[in-house]
């Protein structure tokens, strides 16, 4: 099957099975109150108890109910009988020479018959921020031909708790909770990008619920302006993202002609460039202060000509935009090569002179394969399915 005829979407192989003792991580306040009601907490007490749990889970990062000293010992014991505050388990951690960290995280299975799957997330520190790249699926719904994750099966969607849990794991490993000392005295995880494994807008409800928790000012407290969701172009859910989540938007564009984008991003056959860009023009809250990022991977002799640059500028006219140029990182079996650096600079210069910010994304974490589209573990004992690739590295500009 050629890339141009690749199926638009994959069907999940599994659905999530809840464990016998569910984690409270990822539940809304209303859901927390409902769970408290099930174990006999009286209605007048639930609001206060929810506030206490919210604080301990999302401000203090408590990993067990015994840490929650403002809650009565009796209630802590009852909570421990029925629930956990578990997040994904760290299977492996790799630290790059440039400070980038990659974690392989195991998601617990819901029963003895369900395999525990793994995802990866990446932390990229910089002088003025720390960006965490988070996954939304085990595998990916889509089949983008240049992307290593596109070659993987779609196993299942992540839950809201598994998405929030990745951020909590990062804070655990970095000692980044509010009541703990970080090396520089300030928060280390300041930005979140939904650019890891999977297509977030094919898991909309869980992604929305997770990001609303992440942005909650009484909890994890990462501003919506510091959260970016990247999509390959699931047009019906783009407007919903602006209206229901209100985070920054990034578009995996990669081509300026439908014929080529049909090959690189087969979803384009369902939602072509014209429809995609109209959804961007209509995106709630888009402005010069809240620009939409267009991701453009540089593929030698494929999409990197000056004619492509000129058409890109023409297509984005009227959209408050920034263009992120991404040097392609080859992976085993790919037919694509990275554009020559001189060509990338010429492409970038043309876009910049047309009035657009056009940073070239600096490759990070190369020594731990923490790069665009090919993030996978070097742990040989893991199977290929467990060494899934993340779709894109976190934006660092």
């Amino acid at each position: 099957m050629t890339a141009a005829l690749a199926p638009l979407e994959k069907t999940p192989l599994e659905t999530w099975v809840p464990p016998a003792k569910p984690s409270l991580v990822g539940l809304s306040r209303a859901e927390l109150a409902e769970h408290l009601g099930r174990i006999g907490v009286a209605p007048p007490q639930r609001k206060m108890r929810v506030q206490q749990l919210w604080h301990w889970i999302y401000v203090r990062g408590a990993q067990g109910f015994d840490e929650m000293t403002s809650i009565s010992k009796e209630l802590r014991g009852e909570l421990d009988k029925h629930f956990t505050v578990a997040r994904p388990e760290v299977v492996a951690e790799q630290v790059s020479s440039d400070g980038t960290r990659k974690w392989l995280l195991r998601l617990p299975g819901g029963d003895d018959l369900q395999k525990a799957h793994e995802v990866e997330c990446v932390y990229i520190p910089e002088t003025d921020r720390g960006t965490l790249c988070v996954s939304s699926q085990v595998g990916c719904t889509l089949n983008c031909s240049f992307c290593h994750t596109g070659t993987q099966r779609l196993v299942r969607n992540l839950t809201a708790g598994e998405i929030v849990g990745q951020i909590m794991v990062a804070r655990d490993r970095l000692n980044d909770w509010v009541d703990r000392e970080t090396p520089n005295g300030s928060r280390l995880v300041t930005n979140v990008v939904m650019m890891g494994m999977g297509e977030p807008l094919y898991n909309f409800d869980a992604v929305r619920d997770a990001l609303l928790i992440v942005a909650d000012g009484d909890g994890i407290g990462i501003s919506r302006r510091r959260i970016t969701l990247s999509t390959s172009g699931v047009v019906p859910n783009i407007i919903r993202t602006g209206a229901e989540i209100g985070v920054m938007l990034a578009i995996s564009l990669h081509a300026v002609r439908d014929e080529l984008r049909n090959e690189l991003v087969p979803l384009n056959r369902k939602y072509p460039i014209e429809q995609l860009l109209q959804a961007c023009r209509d995106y709630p809250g888009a402005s010069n202060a809240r620009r939409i990022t267009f991701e453009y991977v540089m593929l030698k002799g494929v999409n990197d000509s000056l004619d492509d640059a000129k058409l890109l500028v023409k297509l984005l006219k009227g959209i408050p935009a920034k263009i992120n140029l991404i040097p392609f990182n080859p992976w085993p079996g790919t037919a694509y090569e990275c554009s020559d650096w001189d060509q990338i600079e010429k492409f970038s210069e043309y876009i910049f002179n047309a009035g657009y910010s056009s940073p070239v994304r600096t490759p990070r974490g190369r020594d731990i394969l923490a790069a665009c589209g090919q993030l996978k573990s070097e742990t040989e004992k893991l199977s290929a399915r467990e060494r899934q690739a993340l779709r894109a590295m976190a934006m660092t500009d």
Side-chain angles (χ1 to χ4, degrees):
M1 180 179 290
T2 65
L5 296 179
L8 300 185
E9 302 157 9
K10 302 175 194 133
T11 301
L13 299 175
E14 298 178 9
T15 55
W16 181 70
V17 178
K21 280 179 67 172
S23 175
L24 297 182
V25 172
L27 299 182
S28 67
R29 287 181 174 84
E31 290 167 332
L32 280 175
E34 183 181 337
H35 279 62
L36 290 175
R38 290 175 187 169
I39 63 170
V41 176
Q45 292 186 30
R46 289 178 200 168
K47 183 176 180 180
M48 178 188 70
R49 297 305 187 192
V50 165
Q51 289 175 331
Q52 290 175 322
L53 285 169
W54 197 269
H55 177 83
W56 281 107
I57 294 172
Y58 298 122
V59 176
R60 306 288 287 274
Q63 299 189 41
F65 295 110
D66 58 326
E67 298 176 39
M68 303 181 182
T69 52
S70 63
I71 297 175
S72 70
K73 188 173 182 179
E74 181 183 8
L75 180 54
R76 278 184 275 155
E78 197 65 22
L79 288 166
D80 192 52
K81 285 181 187 177
H82 297 90
F83 310 116
T84 73
V85 285
R87 42 282 232 152
E89 173 192 356
V90 176
V91 177
E93 179 180 49
Q94 293 174 304
V95 182
S96 167
S97 59
D98 65 17
T100 299
R101 291 174 181 253
K102 180 178 69 173
W103 294 289
L104 179 67
L105 304 178
R106 178 165 295 145
L107 311 171
D111 54 44
D112 293 338
L113 300 177
Q114 187 184 47
K115 179 176 171 57
H117 299 292
E118 286 86 17
V119 294
E120 290 176 316
C121 71
V122 176
Y123 171 70
I124 301 174
E126 295 180 272
T127 55
D128 62 341
R129 77 188 73 186
T131 301
L132 190 71
C133 186
V134 175
S135 295
S136 59
Q137 296 179 314
V138 182
C140 186
T141 303
L142 303 179
N143 296 279
C144 300
S145 64
F146 63 90
C147 177
H148 190 274
T149 311
T151 68
Q152 309 292 333
R153 300 179 299 171
L154 171 62
V155 178
R156 68 170 175 85
N157 287 333
L158 299 188
T159 66
E162 291 168 337
I163 295 168
V164 175
Q166 294 172 65
I167 297 157
M168 298 180 72
V169 165
R171 285 203 160 166
D172 291 342
R173 303 297 284 196
L174 297 168
N175 210 37
D176 192 34
W177 294 102
V178 70
D179 58 341
R180 299 172 207 176
E181 291 294 326
T182 61
N184 63 5
S186 60
R187 297 278 65 79
L188 299 180
V189 178
T190 63
N191 293 57
V192 170
V193 290
M194 296 298 306
M195 294 184 183
M197 187 186 299
E199 166 52 63
L201 295 191
Y202 274 119
N203 188 16
F204 182 85
D205 288 352
V207 167
R208 175 197 60 207
D209 295 349
L211 293 185
L212 291 178
I213 289 173
V214 173
D216 190 290
D218 292 325
I220 292 175
I222 296 176
S223 164
R224 285 175 171 83
R225 294 189 66 170
R226 289 181 173 265
I227 301 172
T228 300
L229 183 150
S230 176
T231 177
S232 292
V234 186
V235 167
N237 282 343
I238 288 177
I239 299 300
R240 288 188 67 193
T241 298
E244 298 180 34
I245 312 176
V247 295
M248 307 296 281
L249 181 68
I251 302 293
S252 293
L253 188 61
H254 309 307
V256 292
R257 297 174 179 84
D258 280 321
E259 181 180 358
L260 176 58
R261 195 166 191 269
N262 288 346
E263 175 187 334
L264 298 178
V265 187
L267 183 66
N268 194 73
R269 306 205 305 268
K270 187 173 185 179
Y271 305 115
I273 291 172
E274 183 179 356
Q275 289 184 28
L276 174 58
L277 296 183
Q278 188 57 52
C280 292
R281 290 186 176 90
D282 296 338
Y283 189 70
S287 66
N288 285 331
R290 295 173 64 89
R291 291 175 295 172
I292 295 172
T293 297
F294 289 86
E295 300 164 305
Y296 197 95
V297 66
M298 300 299 293
L299 303 171
K300 185 175 182 177
V302 175
N303 65 351
D304 63 351
S305 71
L306 283 182
D307 284 342
D308 290 311
K310 291 174 183 176
L311 186 51
L312 179 58
V313 168
K314 184 178 179 181
L315 285 174
L316 298 186
K317 185 177 182 181
I319 300 175
K322 178 177 72 174
I323 300 160
N324 239 14
L325 301 181
I326 308 169
F328 178 66
N329 286 276
W331 42 270
T334 182
Y336 299 107
E337 298 177 57
C338 183
S339 302
D340 295 333
W341 195 255
D342 285 350
Q343 189 62 26
I344 293 175
E345 289 185 332
K346 290 176 185 175
F347 198 102
S348 176
E349 183 180 15
Y350 181 87
I351 294 170
F352 180 80
N353 290 337
Y356 291 94
S357 172
S358 56
V360 179
R361 183 183 296 171
T362 305
R364 296 291 301 272
R366 281 185 177 274
D367 53 332
I368 58 170
L369 296 180
C372 177
Q374 66 164 52
L375 240 183
K376 64 180 183 179
S377 173
E378 293 174 317
T379 309
E380 293 297 328
K381 65 182 181 179
L382 299 178
S383 69
R385 182 166 66 171
E386 291 165 332
R387 292 186 277 112
Q388 302 278 14
L390 282 178
R391 181 169 57 82
M393 189 183 75
M395 287 193 301
T396 63
D397 45 75

